[in-house]
Structures are given as structure tokens and as C-alpha cells.
Amino acid sequence: GNASNKLNTPFGLALDYSNTLYIADSYNHRVQKYYRDASFGETVAGQETGVSNSTADTLNYAGDLALDVNGDIYVSDVNNHRVQLWTNGSITGVTVAGTGI
């Protein structure tokens, strides 16, 4: 399912400095953020409804991910053939690698 406490094919993951867990929720086409001891996640990249597309605010199969020291998220957007950068707190991503085709 795509509720905030559900994952559909979790693939990549990363931890930040405060042990907050970020999970690439591949078939829900999003990245979920789980604070320590939390049962529910927060969508920080992609659509919380799990909708896929090729627009800047969506992902299509979130593959792996990486975090930088600013809390920015780099996501391999597998089926869109690109890497998207979601700056900390942003509701949309920016293509930083790949062509999207």
C-alpha cells in the first residue's frame, strides 16, 4: 500500500547524522523519511500517493539515494533515466544527471 506506514519494494536507504532513516520506496515512487522510533514515514521526494510520472515533482521507480551534509537528497529515478536532487524541504526535484529519456 501507499499509506505513510507502508512500503512497496524498499530499495535504497541512508541515515543522516541524527539517525533519521531515508528509504527509497521504489514501487510507491517516493522517498520516505522515518525519524528514530517512528512507525509512520514522511514523504520527502515524489508524491505521497505513490503516483509515478516524469515531472519535476514525481519519480518513476525510486532506486538508490544519497544524502549530503545539508540534508539534500539525490535519488536515482530509474524509469525516468535521471538523477533528481531534492533540496532539503523542497516539494520538487531538479535533474542533475541524465536526460530523462
Side-chain angles (χ1 to χ4, degrees):
N2 62 3
S4 64
N5 66 337
K6 305 280 186 196
L7 298 170
N8 189 349
T9 314
F11 192 78
L13 58 90
L15 287 171
D16 70 9
Y17 67 92
S18 65
N19 288 325
T20 300
L21 179 63
Y22 294 77
I23 302 171
D25 188 9
S26 298
Y27 285 155
N28 278 328
H29 315 287
R30 63 188 182 185
V31 174
Q32 292 291 91
K33 176 181 181 178
Y34 285 84
Y35 293 102
R36 189 176 188 150
D37 299 323
S39 298
F40 294 86
E42 171 188 343
T43 302
V44 292
Q47 296 294 306
E48 84 180 26
T49 59
V51 172
S52 67
N53 205 327
S54 60
T55 58
D57 63 339
T58 59
L59 299 168
N60 190 346
Y61 192 89
D64 208 355
L65 61 99
L67 301 172
D68 68 17
V69 296
N70 299 316
D72 301 332
I73 305 166
Y74 294 82
V75 184
S76 60
D77 188 10
V78 176
N79 289 338
N80 283 326
H81 313 285
R82 64 187 182 181
V83 174
Q84 290 291 93
L85 165 63
W86 295 70
T87 56
N88 192 356
S90 178
I91 60 170
T92 188
V94 176
T95 303
V96 294
T99 61
I101 55 174

